[in-house]
Amino acid sequence: MIKRLATLLLAVISLLTLAACGEKQLLIDPAPPEEQTEAPPQEHAVTPQKTPEVTAPDSVPADDAGLVRRIDPTFLISRGMTVDNVFLASSDVLFIFTSHVRSGVLSETSYLYTYSLTRDKFTGRSMPLGIVGQYPRAALDDGAVPVMTLNTETYEADALLLIDPQTLEYEQIDLRGLRDVRNVDVSPDRSMTAVSSSDALTVVRGFDFTDVIARYEGFTAPDGDALLDYKLPTAIGWMPEGNALLGKLLGWEWVEHVFLLDPAGGRTDIDGYDYLSAEPLTGGRLLIYDDFRLLPSGVLDVSDGSFESFDPAGLPGEEDERYISSMAVTSDGQLALAVADPEGDEMCRADFYHGQSVVRSFALEKGDGWPVSFESLTLSPDGKEAALLTCATVDQPKAIYYTRLP
């Protein structure tokens, strides 16, 4: 009898012990996680924000309605991102540079997202960039896209990232030994690099910044004012063949003239086009344009000095209230111009040219909540695709449109 009571007592004690252990385990277990929204791809996570209603303006011409598309901003807005810039890295991949907005404060740190034009959707790939000091100007021959970043404390040049548009893998070139860098331009085949600083334009071999090929220093005329008359050379970009660097000599508030630097260090000043800027084209040609108004003047063949004027018909004149807000050109001379018209029915219009003929136009008309203009234009390297970025308004984020050109 006593043995049975002892056995029963041990059983009760065991049950009480298990219950106590179970209660203790329950107390130290973490609370189940709250339901999480989808995090943005890769390294960063942001506080999701309420997605505002965004409606595209009903202003696409009927014949272009199926040719121009607007990228749905929900993907970026839900991640607390606002668009800073766009660049067509290839015929399929659009680079979208963004910054994070939280409680009305814009972060200095930029993030790169990619959008596939053929699939009409975000790829899901992104990467943090830090502070962007220079957005891409052109892709290299191997398809890599250069982006310069800055040190987050000193704001000096930090690195040059050569990014693969398909994978976002990149090669990093250390720029920390350079000072007062304005921009860095790599030749199409990577054989040379031009560094524009606050006192000179320097061309080096490859990425060896100690192996100087050519140097064009800033200067002041002997009888000039040290501040007002200082002239500073800076790079515009490499000729598509990589055989020369196109640069411009900057004055106090204007471009003095453009010039070419060859790999041997020789300089050719482009005379007769003072106070005009240029963009490099294939075959030793330059697109000459007004740097203030972005108004194209024509195409200059450097080899023989011949000049083909650009017909200004339909473009803003000097006394016109309209103005060109953005310009883009491919290496073979295909041109895109965005015209803003604050007083007209069409707030902004983008015209795409083959030669001097307009092959496509796209306009945004005035409407409630849409007092916008095209902030930037970008063309793919082959000139078959174009992307347009509008400015932001008080109640509307920036909008991105893209189209395939004939």
Side-chain angles (χ1 to χ4, degrees):
M1 182 68 178
I2 295 174
K3 183 181 291 188
R4 287 182 180 179
L5 288 174
T7 302
L8 182 59
L9 181 60
L10 288 173
V12 172
I13 293 173
S14 298
L15 289 174
L16 291 174
T17 302
L18 289 174
C21 292
E23 183 178 0
K24 183 177 180 181
Q25 182 67 37
L26 180 62
L27 290 175
I28 64 174
D29 276 347
E34 297 179 0
E35 183 178 355
Q36 301 291 319
T37 57
E38 179 189 0
Q42 293 192 7
E43 294 88 347
H44 59 282
V46 299
T47 303
Q49 299 180 356
K50 182 180 179 181
T51 303
E53 293 185 3
V54 179
T55 56
D58 186 17
S59 58
V60 181
D63 56 340
D64 283 353
L67 302 175
V68 179
R69 295 184 180 180
R70 181 173 180 268
I71 293 179
D72 185 350
T74 303
F75 179 88
L76 297 176
I77 294 173
S78 65
R79 287 156 172 76
M81 295 294 175
T82 183
V83 179
D84 297 326
N85 206 340
V86 294
F87 176 77
L88 270 169
S90 69
S91 58
D92 175 53
V93 177
L94 177 67
F95 275 12
I96 302 178
F97 297 88
T98 68
S99 294
H100 181 223
V101 180
R102 179 174 294 171
S103 301
V105 178
L106 184 65
S107 170
E108 287 185 325
T109 302
S110 294
Y111 298 89
L112 173 61
Y113 290 84
T114 56
Y115 191 90
S116 171
L117 302 186
T118 56
R119 293 187 295 159
D120 195 21
K121 63 185 295 186
F122 283 90
T123 65
R125 290 187 290 271
S126 69
M127 64 181 290
L129 294 172
I131 302 176
V132 175
Q134 179 185 348
Y135 291 109
R137 298 190 185 196
L140 305 182
D141 287 345
D142 60 8
V145 177
V147 176
M148 185 179 75
T149 62
L150 304 180
N151 183 284
T152 56
E153 296 181 357
T154 65
Y155 296 94
E156 291 279 3
D158 185 69
L160 183 68
L161 308 179
L162 305 178
I163 304 172
D164 184 327
Q166 301 299 327
T167 64
L168 293 190
E169 295 177 354
Y170 60 89
E171 178 182 352
Q172 181 169 317
I173 309 300
D174 190 357
L175 303 179
R176 288 175 295 178
L178 307 177
R179 291 291 175 266
D180 300 324
V181 174
R182 297 163 63 92
N183 50 272
V184 176
D185 294 273
V186 183
S187 65
D189 63 357
R190 303 192 187 202
S191 64
M192 293 172 286
T193 301
V195 179
S196 301
S197 67
S198 60
D199 60 358
L201 170 59
T202 307
V203 180
V204 302
R205 203 177 310 278
F207 300 111
D208 183 354
F209 299 106
T210 64
D211 189 357
V212 177
I213 299 173
R215 183 175 172 85
Y216 186 8
E217 295 187 354
F219 63 93
T220 301
D223 58 347
D225 183 276
L227 178 62
L228 297 178
D229 297 320
Y230 182 71
K231 313 300 181 188
L232 178 64
T234 187
I236 295 174
W238 289 89
M239 300 299 287
E241 297 84 1
N243 57 350
L245 174 70
L246 176 64
K248 56 187 176 183
L249 191 66
L250 297 176
W252 178 246
E253 292 182 328
W254 53 81
V255 175
E256 294 284 336
H257 62 260
V258 296
F259 59 87
L260 291 170
L261 279 181
D262 61 49
R267 187 180 82 242
T268 302
D269 292 330
I270 308 300
D271 297 324
Y273 301 94
D274 293 348
Y275 311 116
L276 297 175
S277 193
E279 288 292 330
L281 306 178
T282 55
R285 300 172 301 143
L286 302 175
L287 173 69
I288 305 294
Y289 68 95
D290 185 315
D291 200 44
F292 284 113
R293 298 185 295 149
L294 298 181
L295 186 66
S297 300
V299 175
L300 171 68
D301 189 323
V302 178
S303 62
D304 60 13
S306 61
F307 184 79
E308 180 184 357
S309 297
F310 191 86
D311 184 3
L315 295 180
E318 291 188 9
E319 304 301 325
D320 203 325
E321 293 184 351
R322 298 178 303 154
Y323 62 92
I324 297 175
S325 60
S326 183
M327 180 185 76
V329 62
T330 63
S331 60
D332 64 355
Q334 295 185 48
L335 182 66
L337 296 172
V339 178
D341 185 5
E343 302 300 325
D345 293 332
E346 293 179 346
M347 292 179 301
C348 57
R349 184 181 190 87
D351 294 323
F352 302 94
Y353 294 82
H354 281 179
Q356 298 203 28
S357 300
V358 176
V359 296
R360 170 121 351 119
S361 291
F362 169 52
L364 297 180
E365 296 179 357
K366 283 190 174 178
D368 294 337
W370 282 92
V372 299
S373 64
F374 289 124
E375 180 177 295
S376 66
L377 285 171
T378 175
L379 296 170
S380 62
D382 61 6
K384 297 298 184 183
E385 290 79 22
L388 308 93
L389 177 65
T390 70
C391 64
T393 67
V394 174
D395 57 353
Q396 297 287 356
K398 295 181 181 181
I400 305 172
Y401 296 86
Y402 72 92
T403 183
R404 299 190 185 279
L405 301 174

